[in-house]
Amino acid sequence: MTPPVPAADAPADRRRELRADCSACAGLCCVLPAFAASADFAIDKPAGRACVHLTPDAHCGIHADLRQRGFPGCTVFDCFGAGQRLVQVAAVERPVADPGVAAAFPVLRQLHELLWYLTEAAGLPLPAPLRAEVADLTGRTEALAAGGPAALAAVDAAAVRAGAGELLGRVSAAARPGGRDRRDADLVGAVLRGADLRRHGLRGAYLIGADLRGADLRGADLLGADLRGADLRGADLTGALFLTRPQVAAARGDGATRLPAALERPAHWGAAAPVRTRRPRRPGGRGGAAGR
Ligand code: SF4
């Protein structure tokens, strides 16, 4: 068996770039998709029409109050940086009105999401042949993502994702030795409070509304897991694999929820709980008022 290769020489984590920068975009995600009035969006909106809350300078007029105003779906959506990249590449006066941009946007978003996973995979301690496969697919995906709107629109994104899914499955298996496989498990509303789910393969699992309070999800594979409304308060997701911002933002958490280093805590979860440090013991005492 080929020995695992340390991740010390892994490429710099590109995931910092794979995030939406609305200040460099043109409001593509507020114009191009259609919305149906639901718990996620307070209004109906046809594809190609600007949201009523989009300002003339392509900013959200209710950004600070999206959840309170009935638009939690907008806090969950993430283009993985595809929007600002496409606006720069297309170089047209009104990107939101350009049919080529409209066709290319969902494709580039999928490619950027895939690059998020592949970048994470490249940093894992994997056997050398597997790492080489990850590097190869990363290069090919980067090449596709670098195309202009017409080239992007011609990409068969579903086929690219299918091939990547197979590779990421093998990456997951190599990175979670001994982990139980619960792929695509129906765990909707499951009570998993305090459960030991370390290194579990929960890829594609339905965890909608699951009670995961205090659960130990360290090293679990959560690629594509549906975490909408899942209660992650106090859960530990340190080192969880293939977790994304949209998944986290769709779940419920609190200051005690621990996330992988690449992910920020959603604002609606509240501040992180302070890290507890042990007080040095006083010589001859037990510390605190009881020991005085
Ligand atoms: S509510 Fe704001 S973020 Fe959501 S679609 Fe409208 S303008 Fe965009």
Side-chain angles (χ1 to χ4, degrees), residues 29-31 35 41 43 45 51-55 59-63 66 71 74:
C29 63
C30 304
V31 178
F35 300 161
F41 301 102
I43 57 170
K45 183 190 87 60
C51 171
V52 294
H53 296 299
L54 190 66
T55 63
H59 288 90
C60 175
I62 59 169
H63 178 73
L66 282 166
F71 290 83
C74 297

Side-chain angles (χ1 to χ4, degrees), residues 231-245:
D231 195 341
L232 294 172
R233 287 178 292 173
D236 190 349
L237 294 101
T238 307
L241 302 175
F242 308 131
L243 189 62
T244 64
R245 284 183 299 277

Side-chain angles (χ1 to χ4, degrees), residues 61-107:
I62 59 169
H63 178 73
D65 304 310
L66 282 166
R67 286 183 171 267
Q68 298 89 322
R69 298 282 292 270
F71 290 83
C74 297
T75 68
V76 170
F77 180 82
D78 195 313
C79 73
F80 292 90
Q84 69 262 23
R85 182 175 190 175
L86 192 53
V87 165
Q88 311 303 321
V89 170
V92 292
E93 192 170 339
R94 290 200 66 230
V96 292
D98 187 275
V101 169
F105 181 54
V107 176

Side-chain angles (χ1 to χ4, degrees), residues 11-19 85 112 115 119 142:
D13 196 332
R14 220 202 128 202
R15 285 178 292 177
R16 283 186 292 273
E17 301 163 26
L18 296 169
R19 53 182 302 157
R85 182 175 190 175
H112 271 214
L115 287 169
T119 305
E142 292 276 17

